[in-house]
Amino acid sequence: MVFVDVEDVTLAKRISDFDLRVFLFLCRRMSKTNEVRLNQAEIATELNVYQPRISRAIKALREAKYLTTRGHGKITISAEYAWRDALAKNADARGD
């Protein structure tokens, strides 16, 4: 099960509807360590859009601190906004 923090009222001000669509797509595919191993071309194919649009969405999500990227195709979703597993484990990941 994936949990997404919907209490962030500033979400709409920081990312577009398409950025949110990409974020939710990534959340559905993340591992228990909040990691996604897909490159932008693979994401574009899955969402049936051109790769530059994915690139812009990933950049916006990274700048808004919803995710981080490392290397080719490794994306980590911020535990502040989404997590997979028990709520107690998310508190540990966030440092609460």
Side-chain angles (χ1 to χ4, degrees):
M1 177 175 280
V2 174
F3 299 92
V4 177
D5 185 358
V6 293
E7 293 181 15
D8 184 5
V9 296
T10 64
L11 179 69
K13 295 178 184 175
R14 293 189 287 169
I15 63 173
S16 72
D17 289 343
F18 182 75
D19 300 341
L20 179 60
R21 180 177 165 207
V22 172
F23 179 73
L24 294 174
F25 170 84
L26 294 171
C27 288
R28 287 191 303 271
R29 283 154 179 81
M30 72 183 178
S31 69
K32 288 189 177 188
T33 59
N34 280 25
E35 292 182 355
V36 180
R37 295 223 177 222
L38 290 171
N39 63 41
Q40 292 179 7
E42 292 168 326
I43 297 168
T45 299
E46 289 283 327
L47 294 177
N48 198 30
V49 297
Y50 292 109
Q51 187 273 331
R53 193 160 184 208
I54 298 299
S55 180
R56 287 190 299 271
I58 296 288
K59 180 180 179 184
L61 291 166
R62 190 174 52 242
E63 288 174 353
K65 308 287 190 228
Y66 284 88
L67 54 81
T68 58
T69 56
R70 291 189 318 268
H72 185 71
K74 186 171 182 183
I75 300 168
T76 303
I77 306 294
S78 171
E80 290 289 321
Y81 299 104
W83 60 95
R84 185 178 295 275
D85 218 343
L87 291 173
K89 289 184 181 180
N90 181 56
D92 293 339
R94 292 172 57 176
D96 294 344

